[in-house]
Amino acid sequence: MPKITFYSQGLHPPHKISGEVPSGMSILDASEKLGILMRHDCGGFATCSTCRVFVHEGMRNLSAIDLDEENMLEEAKLPPPYRLSCQTKILGEATCPAEVVVVIDDDMDWSKGAFGFLSEIPESVRRIARIMVEKKARKSGLTAILPDFAFPTLEEVKKKLEEVSGSPALLAAFTKELYESQ
Ligand code: FES
């Protein structure tokens, strides 16, 4: 499987997380799988650029830039080797594992800011929470998902998670509730 390493800029010591991810996974999904919460305000539609990463190594192991990504990068004045993590897939075969190293701008890394709590909750629940928040935002016609604007807000998700996190049964019920609310 391809290997990806994330660095956050400007931290001492640097915040570094590596792991293997399935070939074809987007960099954004890979970050989430490894417990890093990157901003992605438009929900992965190539219309915001908040999911940008600076590709330090391994550009050849990434999918090609399509027109939507190219337009957004141009509009946001992000020259190569910047990529939009929501649009960029990590490629590589089992016989020829690829390696990619990316750097996240510090203010685009939610893991260390107000949303750090999300990296402590189980990945499965976090993914559902993310999908749910994004889906509801899209249904409401929002083009950007802002932490305190989406419904339910991440703050509401946090509160609920704090209530249920001590009990596997409550956590399971909450997970079901999230699924059903979609
Ligand atoms: S999440 Fe908005 S461009 Fe990637």
Side-chain angles (χ1 to χ4, degrees):
M1 285 207 283
K3 181 181 171 198
I4 183 158
T5 300
F6 291 87
Y7 284 94
S8 274
Q9 266 182 349
L11 286 183
H12 303 286
H15 182 66
K16 174 187 170 191
I17 295 181
S18 291
E20 291 189 341
V21 296
S23 182
M25 180 175 262
S26 73
I27 295 179
L28 180 63
D29 285 343
S31 71
E32 184 152 330
K33 183 172 166 39
L34 298 177
I36 303 164
L37 295 161
M38 293 173 50
R39 282 185 60 185
H40 53 286
D41 293 1
C42 75
F45 279 96
T47 56
C48 73
S49 83
T50 56
C51 68
R52 64 181 179 256
V53 290
F54 182 94
V55 180
H56 184 60
E57 277 174 35
M59 188 66 97
R60 70 186 180 287
N61 300 321
L62 300 173
S63 57
I65 299 181
D66 67 14
L67 199 58
D68 288 343
E69 183 181 3
E70 189 181 327
N71 288 341
M72 189 66 246
L73 287 170
E74 207 175 291
E75 191 181 313
K77 299 190 175 31
L78 295 168
Y82 272 103
R83 295 291 306 264
L84 299 181
S85 68
C86 68
Q87 304 298 306
T88 309
K89 294 190 170 52
I90 307 157
L91 307 176
E93 301 304 327
T95 50
C96 175
E99 176 143 10
V100 176
V101 179
V102 297
V103 181
I104 309 169
D105 290 353
D106 232 14
D107 54 344
M108 297 302 144
D109 183 351
W110 276 353
S111 305
K112 303 181 308 298
F115 301 96
F117 71 90
L118 283 174
S119 57
E120 285 151 27
I121 64 176
E123 187 203 328
S124 52
V125 179
R126 198 171 62 228
R127 288 184 80 86
I128 297 165
R130 174 186 143 189
I131 291 166
M132 183 189 68
V133 168
E134 289 176 358
K135 209 163 175 177
K136 288 213 167 175
R138 270 180 222 144
K139 257 193 197 160
S140 319
L142 301 179
T143 53
I145 296 167
L146 304 175
D148 51 357
F149 194 41
F151 176 78
T153 65
L154 288 180
E155 197 51 41
E156 284 165 338
V157 173
K158 177 185 178 188
K159 256 196 220 145
K160 185 72 182 172
L161 282 167
E162 278 169 355
E163 280 167 36
V164 302
S165 61
S167 154
L170 287 178
L171 192 57
F174 177 57
T175 307
K176 188 165 169 277
E177 192 186 313
L178 288 180
Y179 263 124
E180 285 171 354
S181 70
Q182 286 184 54

